[in-house]
Amino acid sequence: MLTLVSWNIQYGKGVDGRIDLRRIAETVHKDGLPDVLCFQEVSRNYPSIDKGADQVRELEIFFPDYEPFFGAVHDRSGRKGEARKQFGNLVLSRLSPVQVLHHLLPSPADPEVKFMSRQIAELVIPANTTDLRVMTTHLEFFSEIQQLAQIQRIREIHEEAFNQFHNPGKDMQYTPFELVKRPEKTVICGDFNFIPDSTPYRKMTTSFSDKNMNLVDAWKTQQEGTVHPPTCGIFDLKQWEIGPHCRDYFFISQSLVKKINEISVNTETDASDHQPIRLVLDV
């Protein structure tokens, strides 16, 4: 089995307003350590966040058996000799990835809103019986124009990988042109910032020309007929005046639907404004 956890940790800021990465780590340990951890909203060296701490390094210490892969949505510097200010998504994996890719997502002009750059990380993870393509992201919140463009790009990346898998290029071993297949079996997780049955949700799950490429909501597949449990707004009603609702998902390729063993949400922790979600696959 392969267990994945996705969590927007809000750089460790709990509902009490206190930043404490130890609480994040303790929650994950208490729930049972997964094979792959996908954290969104991780900060490095921002003076206004956690006193400028390198949260990637701190989380490495809390999870010593994991290999870190950080995808910065932006990478900024003041002057030579200063630590670079970064913010983005962190993947911690107990299984060493065969390949890691970072894709910048589009942010078309939308002058009515504030926004920041977004990216999606892609890792080829060797499971027990097969390789998986695991992707994690955090989509735009303030602009649906940008959010829809980002979903379109994710779908293009997914389709590109699927076609490369079935029509691989030439292999030149021991060189940068060595062929590494991007598996068709795919898990895409994260904070998507859209609610179930919204226009962006429907766009994410729209059928492809080849049904084997289709991305399906793992919760709806496993828990048919039940509503999504809330993944944010349970405890933090200042940020989420609408109350408890779902914004975090696991979308999986059609080929993994029958491999779902469990999907769940920890609705008890208030260590962030979001809740950790867990997916267990029989692979």
Side-chain angles (χ1 to χ4, degrees):
M1 291 192 296
L2 182 79
T3 302
L4 306 98
V5 167
S6 177
W7 194 3
N8 180 335
I9 63 170
Q10 193 180 219
Y11 48 88
K13 183 180 178 182
V15 175
D16 59 5
R18 186 165 56 89
I19 296 175
D20 187 353
L21 292 178
R22 183 177 295 277
R23 285 191 298 195
I24 299 294
E26 288 175 349
T27 299
V28 174
H29 279 264
K30 183 179 178 181
D31 288 348
L33 287 172
D35 299 291
V36 182
L37 265 167
C38 298
F39 288 141
Q40 300 88 47
E41 290 199 32
V42 177
S43 176
R44 303 184 87 172
N45 310 316
Y46 259 91
S48 61
I49 299 176
D50 202 9
K51 300 178 181 179
D54 182 345
Q55 294 191 332
V56 174
R57 179 58 187 148
E58 290 190 10
L59 288 165
E60 281 186 75
I61 294 171
F62 286 126
F63 298 98
D65 296 330
Y66 290 74
E67 193 174 356
F69 301 91
F70 185 64
V73 298
H74 57 235
D75 185 347
R76 298 168 178 167
S77 176
R79 65 173 74 92
K80 185 177 180 180
E82 288 186 353
R84 302 193 65 82
K85 298 186 291 292
Q86 299 176 322
F87 192 80
N89 308 315
L90 174 65
V91 179
L92 295 166
S93 179
R94 288 203 286 199
L95 304 170
S96 188
V98 177
Q99 177 169 266
V100 180
L101 301 171
H102 295 287
H103 307 278
L104 182 67
L105 297 178
S107 296
D110 188 353
E112 300 302 317
V113 300
K114 61 181 180 180
F115 73 97
M116 65 178 172
S117 297
R118 305 286 173 163
Q119 67 92 242
I120 186 165
E122 173 185 334
L123 293 83
V124 177
I125 301 288
N128 290 328
T129 60
T130 186
D131 287 349
L132 289 178
R133 189 157 46 91
V134 175
M135 305 174 74
T136 189
T137 192
H138 180 197
L139 298 189
E140 182 54 50
F141 174 80
F142 294 101
S143 170
E144 187 173 280
I145 292 172
Q146 294 176 356
Q147 192 179 93
L148 289 170
Q150 290 160 8
I151 294 168
Q152 179 60 32
R153 180 63 186 129
I154 291 171
R155 287 172 59 85
E156 290 169 356
I157 293 168
H158 176 60
E159 185 171 14
E160 173 189 274
F162 183 91
N163 289 331
Q164 286 181 357
F165 179 80
H166 289 283
N167 301 281
K170 293 181 179 179
D171 186 13
M172 297 181 66
Q173 290 189 351
Y174 313 115
T175 78
F177 292 95
E178 182 175 7
L179 178 64
V180 178
K181 283 194 171 185
R182 299 164 69 188
E184 66 173 353
K185 291 183 173 63
T186 306
V187 176
I188 306 177
C189 66
D191 176 2
F192 290 84
N193 268 322
F194 53 66
I195 60 176
D197 300 321
S198 62
T199 297
Y201 178 96
R202 288 191 291 272
K203 183 177 180 66
M204 186 71 187
T205 55
T206 296
S207 297
F208 288 87
S209 57
D210 184 334
K211 67 177 183 180
N212 292 316
M213 271 192 287
N214 287 350
L215 294 169
V216 299
D217 180 344
W219 179 268
K220 281 193 172 181
T221 300
Q222 182 72 0
Q223 306 287 346
E224 187 176 359
T226 63
V227 298
H228 289 80
T231 65
C232 63
I234 297 177
F235 303 103
D236 189 346
L237 298 179
K238 290 183 179 180
Q239 290 192 88
W240 304 109
E241 293 181 356
I242 65 174
H245 62 290
C246 178
R247 290 180 180 270
D248 305 80
Y249 306 87
F250 279 104
F251 294 104
I252 62 173
S253 58
Q254 192 71 42
S255 55
L256 287 174
V257 168
K258 295 182 179 180
K259 300 293 185 180
I260 299 175
N261 179 281
E262 173 195 338
I263 183 166
S264 60
V265 179
N266 177 335
T267 58
E268 302 299 321
T269 180
D270 62 358
S272 170
D273 65 327
H274 284 250
Q275 311 303 127
I277 59 176
R278 174 179 294 258
L279 177 68
V280 181
L281 297 172
D282 290 323
V283 292

